[in-house]
Amino acid sequence: SWMPNKRIELMKELYSQLSKRKNLEVAVFGDVPLKDVNNLVYYGNITRMPELASIMRECSIYIETSNSIFADQLTLNAMASGVVPVRPIRNADTTICKHLYNSILTKSDALEDILEVLEKILNDIEVRERLVENCIGSVSARSQTLIAEQFIDFFRKNKLD
């Protein structure tokens, strides 16, 4: 079962805390049982890249709490979409994620550590904008990653004014 790797209880508590903030919508996608968390938009398991890209385009921050083997690919997808990833440093591929350059890496996967960095990034627009710019540049530099190339191409073709 993949469920222990997804750290469902941490996700529930994190999203529950985030959903209390004003002017913040929490969107969740994937095969996770989080439908019972209030103020949450749940997209379910998405298998088509254009659909995932469309959802990610509306996001500002991507939070990865799982230990899944797919976490790094999803992080690249988020970065290619211009979405800043937030991940515990011990679970992150540091060849992809550079703390305060193109991502936010928390010192642990404790709820308090994740919430602390989220408060900082949610309240500092300049840092968030710099991180977004570096996210896209970092993924472009990893052009051998097919999915990242497809995401970048998709966003170039479908740029919103």
Side-chain angles (χ1 to χ4, degrees), residues 55-70:
I55 293 167
M56 283 191 169
R57 181 180 339 156
E58 300 300 318
C59 299
S60 299
I61 299 170
Y62 171 74
I63 304 167
E64 180 58 68
T65 58
S66 83
N67 298 323
S68 165
I69 60 172
F70 302 109

Side-chain angles (χ1 to χ4, degrees), residues 47-58:
T47 57
R48 294 181 49 243
M49 187 177 305
E51 185 179 2
L52 179 61
S54 176
I55 293 167
M56 283 191 169
R57 181 180 339 156
E58 300 300 318

Side-chain angles (χ1 to χ4, degrees), residues 17-69:
Q17 292 291 323
L18 290 174
S19 68
K20 294 175 185 175
R21 282 184 62 110
K22 292 179 182 177
N23 303 322
L24 181 71
E25 181 178 85
V26 178
V28 174
F29 58 91
D31 185 21
V32 292
L34 289 173
K35 296 175 188 170
D36 59 335
V37 176
N38 292 331
N39 300 321
L40 186 73
V41 179
Y42 183 74
Y43 291 98
N45 201 14
I46 299 168
T47 57
R48 294 181 49 243
M49 187 177 305
E51 185 179 2
L52 179 61
S54 176
I55 293 167
M56 283 191 169
R57 181 180 339 156
E58 300 300 318
C59 299
S60 299
I61 299 170
Y62 171 74
I63 304 167
E64 180 58 68
T65 58
S66 83
N67 298 323
S68 165
I69 60 172

Side-chain angles (χ1 to χ4, degrees), residues 5 12-13 15 18 21 66-67 77 86 92 95-96 99 116 122 124 126 128 134 141 155:
N5 291 337
K12 280 185 178 180
E13 185 58 32
Y15 298 147
L18 290 174
R21 282 184 62 110
S66 83
N67 298 323
N77 292 349
V86 174
T95 65
I96 298 170
H99 182 59
E116 180 184 333
L122 289 170
D124 194 331
E126 288 180 19
R128 205 166 56 238
N134 291 338
F155 280 100

